[in-house]
Amino acid sequence: MAAPHRPTARRIALGHELRELRKRARLSIQDAVQGFSFSDTKLQRVETGLQDLRSASDLRKLLTLYGVTDEEEVERLVAVQREASSREWWTPLATELTPGMPRFLGIEAAAQEIRAYNPTLILGLLQTEAYARTRHVSAKPLDETTTEFVEQSVEVRMRRKEALTRDEDPLRFWAILYEPALRHIVGDAELMREQYDEIARLAALDNVTVQVLPQTMRGYLFAHNFSILLLGDTMPTTIQVDTAFGTSSISDKRREVGRFSRQFDALSRSALPPEDTPKFLNQLSREIT
């Protein structure tokens, strides 16, 4: 599978560049939108990659305001803006996704590397279709979701997972799984054995690292899941945390990125080395039998 076209990556990159150019011009967002037909709220959404700036003429006017006069640079940014306006593969499903999920999917698609930790569940990018469906079905009466929502959610999760195995530029993924999450039985023993086998298969890929954090560890333990999404040199590293309300909290603030990065490093030091993961999973398979 070839590397995907990434409109959201272009949108985030363009927004980041526009924010830096505006700051360099010493303009506030309120000052920058004077004379434009859109609001400061829209410009803020453009700068954070939440919304694309569809009008090339508006982009050119902004660049003039920011002092960008080199025509080649202007045309480069207009080309990025054009690509950023394309539809993503999940766009037809956007109305069925949980709040904040479309934005997270866009940032995830833009990521070159993801580092993630979950103390209660097997991380989504490592889940089998059966594990993902069983999890959604068990939550269905509690969350009052529909069968259609469950099927679409599983479809999206399996489509996201393809990033790990595509032929060109596969996503680099470093996962830390807490032992209780692995021991929690979803479905039945056969389903869990298949899930353990799938984690071992993915962990064998050159672009995937899986560590197990043993329950007997005495070092640092963080009680909540989070993901660190590294988007490359031209875009800000972003943090994603699930909330109790079923939404995603997303931030690229340097202080929060630094804090979660230190937490991940501490968890990694307390976890078993990656080469021990297959043996640990085999042991779980034997125990569950």
Side-chain angles (χ1 to χ4, degrees), residues 5-15 46 49-54 59 77-88:
H5 179 53
R6 296 171 176 167
T8 304
R10 306 293 186 269
R11 187 158 60 244
I12 295 171
L14 178 62
V46 168
L50 282 172
Q51 185 172 349
D52 59 82
L53 190 64
R54 291 189 174 274
L59 175 57
L77 291 169
V78 169
V80 173
Q81 179 266 335
R82 191 180 303 116
E83 294 175 1
S85 299
S86 302
R87 285 161 58 95
E88 296 279 14

Side-chain angles (χ1 to χ4, degrees), residues 192-206:
M192 291 306 299
R193 283 195 294 270
E194 291 177 356
Q195 179 61 76
Y196 298 147
D197 288 345
E198 177 67 355
I199 296 173
R201 181 185 74 86
L202 293 171
L205 299 174
D206 292 339

Side-chain angles (χ1 to χ4, degrees), residues 95-267:
T95 57
E96 300 296 329
L97 298 173
T98 55
M101 190 62 177
R103 184 188 179 197
F104 170 70
L105 289 176
I107 297 173
E108 183 182 68
Q112 297 178 2
E113 180 179 351
I114 296 176
R115 300 173 184 176
Y117 163 74
N118 200 314
T120 58
L121 295 174
I122 292 171
L123 289 157
L125 291 180
L126 299 176
Q127 291 179 9
T128 63
E129 184 173 338
Y131 183 100
R133 179 173 285 106
T134 302
R135 279 286 310 167
H136 280 294
V137 169
S138 65
K140 183 180 173 184
L142 304 177
D143 296 336
E144 298 183 331
T145 54
T146 64
T147 299
E148 183 182 18
F149 173 84
V150 170
E151 292 306 312
Q152 288 185 345
S153 296
V154 173
E155 177 187 347
V156 168
R157 183 154 297 179
M158 294 303 103
R159 181 72 182 272
R160 290 168 53 206
K161 187 176 170 181
E162 292 176 2
L164 299 178
T165 55
R166 61 189 179 223
D167 296 332
E168 185 181 345
D169 190 27
L171 174 69
R172 297 191 301 275
F173 187 52
W174 184 354
I176 299 177
L177 302 175
Y178 192 31
E179 182 180 343
L182 289 166
R183 289 188 178 277
H184 174 63
I185 299 177
V186 173
D188 56 24
E190 182 60 30
L191 187 155
M192 291 306 299
R193 283 195 294 270
E194 291 177 356
Q195 179 61 76
Y196 298 147
D197 288 345
E198 177 67 355
I199 296 173
R201 181 185 74 86
L202 293 171
L205 299 174
D206 292 339
N207 57 300
V208 177
T209 300
V210 178
Q211 288 184 270
V212 175
L213 187 68
Q215 193 168 4
T216 55
M217 57 83 69
R218 296 187 178 184
Y220 178 80
L221 179 65
F222 191 59
H224 205 75
N225 70 291
F226 63 89
S227 296
I228 305 171
L229 300 100
L230 291 85
L231 310 183
D233 296 335
T234 61
M235 293 179 281
T237 297
T238 301
I239 302 299
Q240 179 269 336
V241 179
D242 289 332
T243 72
F245 300 100
T247 59
S248 290
S249 177
I250 296 173
S251 174
D252 62 5
K253 294 180 180 178
R254 291 183 181 179
R255 184 171 182 176
E256 294 179 2
V257 170
R259 173 184 168 224
F260 280 97
S261 296
R262 291 190 297 273
Q263 288 172 343
F264 188 88
D265 290 343
L267 290 166

